[in-house]
């Protein structure tokens, strides 16, 4: 497969980097190591290592929701974020990072309030959005900034 046609996707289950043909995104590609589905329209719960691998190396845009369990607006937005993940399944990957458990990443990302959404593409931050949002706003935000 030519390099131009291959997408690099980090497995959210085991952290392994995988190469997937762009034309196969709709076929539920699986991780070559653990067999987990790589593109499934679900929100992934991220740990520090997976967060860093995805945001620095994945070919598809990655939208991370920085949240905490005690945050009411974060909990209220969770179902909307999940709806957006389903809509954006083949356009972007969505993940959540608990800022209480991963304070060093929150500090490095400059998170000052939650929920905070940061969109990464090609290893860098391209846009951020503060506050709880409905699914339609999340989808529009990704589509506007992911190109």
């Amino acid at each position: 497969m030519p390099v131009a046609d291959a997408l690099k996707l980090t497995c959210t289950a085991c952290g392994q980097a995988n190469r997937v043909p762009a034309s196969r995104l709709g076929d539920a590609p699986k991780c070559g190591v653990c067999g987990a589905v790589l593109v499934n329209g679900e929100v992934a719960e991220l740990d520090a290592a997976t967060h860093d691998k995805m945001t620095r190396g994945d070919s598809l845009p990655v939208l991370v929701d920085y949240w905490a369990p005690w945050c009411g607006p974060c909990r209220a937005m969770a179902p909307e974020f999940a709806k957006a993940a389903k809509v954006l399944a083949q356009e972007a990957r969505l993940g959540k990072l608990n800022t209480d458990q991963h304070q060093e990443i929150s500090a490095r990302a400059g998170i000052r309030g939650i929920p905070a959404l940061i969109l990464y593409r090609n290893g860098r931050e391209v846009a951020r959005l503060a506050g709880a949002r409905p699914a339609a706003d999340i989808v529009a935000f990704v589509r506007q900034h992911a190109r």
Side-chain angles (χ1 to χ4, degrees):
M1 134 180 70
V3 175
D5 295 333
L7 298 174
K8 183 178 172 190
L9 301 175
T10 303
C11 178
T12 57
C14 73
Q16 177 65 39
N18 291 266
R19 292 220 177 266
V20 176
S23 61
R24 304 285 317 257
L25 280 181
D27 298 337
K30 294 183 179 177
C31 176
V33 173
C34 73
V37 177
L38 297 169
V39 180
N40 60 8
E42 300 290 324
V43 176
E45 189 69 42
L46 304 177
D47 61 20
T50 305
H51 170 277
D52 287 349
K53 282 182 89 171
M54 285 181 73
T55 59
R56 292 178 181 164
D58 273 23
S59 299
L60 279 182
V62 177
L63 180 64
V64 179
D65 173 16
Y66 296 87
W67 73 288
W70 52 264
C71 169
C74 297
R75 289 193 319 270
M77 187 178 74
E80 295 298 306
F81 198 67
K83 287 178 195 172
K86 291 200 181 312
V87 173
L88 295 166
Q90 294 182 32
E91 299 172 58
R93 300 175 78 203
L94 278 63
K96 297 173 66 97
L97 184 89
N98 184 327
T99 57
D100 283 350
Q101 293 176 346
H102 303 287
Q103 294 178 10
E104 70 288 350
I105 293 177
S106 313
R108 189 178 42 178
I111 303 300
R112 304 239 181 331
I114 52 174
L117 303 176
I118 299 181
L119 181 65
Y120 298 89
R121 180 167 180 162
N122 298 322
R124 64 181 185 85
E125 177 183 331
V126 293
R128 59 174 65 202
L129 186 63
R133 305 295 174 136
D137 286 3
I138 297 167
V139 170
F141 170 75
V142 170
R143 287 180 174 162
Q144 175 184 358
H145 296 286
R147 297 186 173 151

